[in-house]
Amino acid sequence: MSLHPSLQSYADAWAHSIDAISELVSPLVEGEWNRRTPCPGWSVRDLVSHVIGLDCEMLGDPRPIHTLPRDLFHVTNEHQRYMEMQVDVRRHHTAPEMTSELEYTIIRRNRQLRNESRQPDAKVRGPLGTEVTLEHAMLNRAFDVWVHEQDLRTTLGRPGNLDSPGAQIVRDQLLAALPKVVAKHAGAPAHSAVVFDVHGPVEFLRTVRVDAEGRGSIDGAPSLGPAATLTLDWETFFRLACGRVTPDAVSDRIKTEGDPELTTAILRNFTVTP
């Protein structure tokens, strides 16, 4: 038995990004593990702890029994409390402890993936006691580790892998979220179109169209006379969508045309990750 073909791209993307994370953090000295990352409230150690913790959950390991401190300003809801548990329990781990646990987790997960024979629709444990399909869980891991690889690269000044297998998966997921951003959250009017022109290592031109009922859809056909056009580079696009930067912080990297109120509303509602 082997991994179902529809899951292979997620496994490959996860492996590529997790190996890059291991390579990035292995040479770090103790103090560098405390450097702040673009994730609110998280250091390099915290971010790597999160990656380790979620992959341990994919392995079926029990979640830690741990009481969170009450003064974690960045933890404001149950989803964040759930994610913080795997992080806070490792906050006093040393650099060698972190790298050895990461390497051991990668070895275990690679073995698990080599022997994975479940179907994509098999149910596995999700956050907060939910059940999700194996396909959904593996997609989320591929997405998560690539974004966190980029967080580490930003923190450590080591840019790279902006067009790796994980980047393609992140692109597809962020594009799928655009109709909701434009039609629902930004309130684009019925019968309007908004064009996103993204350049760089990953490039695409997509049009979000809003129908008579206010529902959004996306396609690759250009639009004549769109209500708004947003032109930006790939790194700015995903960092905005993942909540790593504010529109004001990267305004010099975004070109907008058309309805200024609509473009402002789109950028204000651009973050789609929890």
Side-chain angles (χ1 to χ4, degrees):
M1 302 295 286
S2 60
L3 194 64
H4 192 279
S6 68
L7 302 176
Q8 192 64 54
S9 63
Y10 304 139
D12 291 345
W14 170 85
H16 192 276
S17 293
I18 204 85
D19 287 346
I21 287 174
S22 181
E23 187 178 316
L24 285 166
V25 302
S26 291
L28 299 184
V29 298
E30 196 66 53
E32 292 176 297
W33 285 84
N34 299 322
R35 292 178 64 174
R36 181 184 298 179
T37 72
C39 289
W42 279 5
S43 65
V44 169
R45 177 184 285 98
D46 298 338
L47 194 148
V48 176
S49 295
H50 166 74
V51 169
I52 291 170
L54 289 192
D55 271 311
C56 285
E57 293 188 22
M58 290 291 287
L59 285 159
D61 293 357
R63 278 177 57 77
I65 298 171
H66 180 72
T67 302
L68 289 179
R70 296 187 177 186
D71 59 351
L72 297 174
F73 71 92
H74 58 283
V75 177
T76 59
N77 57 48
E78 280 307 303
H79 179 81
Q80 290 170 343
R81 286 183 66 80
Y82 181 93
M83 293 301 175
E84 197 71 20
M85 204 72 76
Q86 295 277 15
V87 172
D88 194 66
V89 78
R90 294 176 172 84
R91 279 221 158 93
H92 300 294
H93 288 195
T94 64
E97 286 173 329
M98 292 299 301
T99 52
S100 62
E101 187 182 10
L102 176 62
E103 289 168 12
Y104 182 51
T105 303
I106 293 171
I107 290 168
R108 292 175 66 210
R109 281 281 283 139
N110 276 321
R111 185 186 302 129
Q112 180 190 37
L113 289 168
R114 281 196 304 271
N115 297 323
E116 182 60 80
S117 59
R118 290 174 292 181
Q119 292 297 302
D121 59 357
K123 289 290 195 280
V124 298
R125 181 176 67 185
L128 295 167
T130 59
E131 277 195 339
V132 298
T133 64
L134 178 61
E135 182 170 21
H136 182 77
M138 288 185 60
L139 164 60
N140 279 353
R141 292 307 301 129
F143 186 107
D144 193 59
V145 292
W146 184 83
V147 173
H148 290 318
E149 176 199 339
Q150 293 304 318
D151 289 335
L152 288 169
R153 290 186 178 282
T154 299
T155 302
L156 301 172
R158 296 274 307 277
N161 285 353
L162 285 169
D163 59 350
S164 66
Q168 312 302 320
I169 287 168
V170 170
R171 174 203 61 195
D172 292 347
Q173 293 306 109
L174 296 182
L175 285 174
L178 279 182
K180 191 174 184 180
V181 168
V182 171
K184 183 177 180 182
H185 298 315
H191 305 294
S192 66
V194 175
V195 173
F196 294 85
D197 187 356
V198 175
H199 55 272
V202 174
E203 58 180 37
F204 49 85
L205 181 73
R206 294 290 188 277
T207 302
V208 174
R209 304 179 193 279
V210 184
D211 66 16
E213 282 75 45
R215 290 189 300 263
S217 61
I218 189 167
D219 61 50
S223 172
L224 296 175
T229 300
L230 291 86
T231 304
L232 63 165
D233 64 275
W234 164 238
E235 186 172 3
T236 302
F237 180 89
F238 82 74
R239 292 182 75 195
L240 272 172
C242 295
R244 286 349 191 225
V245 291
T246 64
D248 289 343
V250 290
S251 59
D252 60 323
R253 301 181 68 165
I254 307 169
K255 179 185 175 186
T256 61
E257 299 175 60
D259 183 343
E261 288 188 10
L262 179 56
T263 56
T264 298
I266 290 169
L267 290 171
R268 194 171 57 240
N269 291 279
F270 211 76
T271 301
V272 296
T273 56

